[in-house]
C-alpha cells in the first residue's frame, strides 16, 4: 500500500539536513530538499508548515527562491 508522500518528504528533508551538517554530498542535500519542498507544495494547507521549513532551508543552503504557488 502506498503511504503518505509527505512522510517520504519528511525523510528527504531530514536527510538533506544530515548530509549538510556532516559535510556530505551537498548537491544531493539540495536535491532532496527540493524534492521535499515540491511534495509539500502540492500538500496544501496540511503541509504549509513543512513547506515553509523546506523553503527556508533551501534559501539558506542552496540559494533557492520559494516555489511558486
Amino acid at each position: 500500500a502506498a503511504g503518505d508522500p509527505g512522510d517520504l518528504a519528511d525523510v528527504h528533508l531530514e536527510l538533506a539536513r544530515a548530509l549538510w551538517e556532516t559535510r556530505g554530498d551537498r548537491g544531493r542535500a539540495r536535491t532532496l530538499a527540493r524534492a521535499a519542498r515540491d511534495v509539500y507544495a502540492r500538500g496544501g494547507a496540511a503541509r504549509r508548515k513543512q513547506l515553509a521549513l523546506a523553503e527556508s532551508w533551501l534559501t539558506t543552503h542552496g540559494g533557492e527562491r520559494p516555489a511558486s504557488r
Side-chain angles (χ1 to χ4, degrees):
D4 178 359
D7 291 343
L8 183 57
D10 293 343
V11 172
H12 284 170
L13 189 56
E14 286 303 314
L15 182 54
R17 289 176 176 146
L19 283 169
W20 196 272
E21 290 172 11
T22 61
R23 299 186 188 276
D25 184 342
R26 291 190 166 185
R28 178 77 176 133
R30 288 185 197 100
T31 298
L32 288 165
R34 283 185 205 108
R37 179 209 46 211
D38 293 347
V39 170
Y40 296 147
R42 291 189 298 272
R47 292 290 179 176
R48 190 170 292 138
K49 182 179 177 184
Q50 290 97 330
L51 175 60
L53 291 171
E55 287 179 339
S56 176
W57 191 93
L58 282 163
T59 298
T60 302
H61 297 88
E64 295 261 334
R65 286 186 245 185
S68 58
R69 287 175 235 179

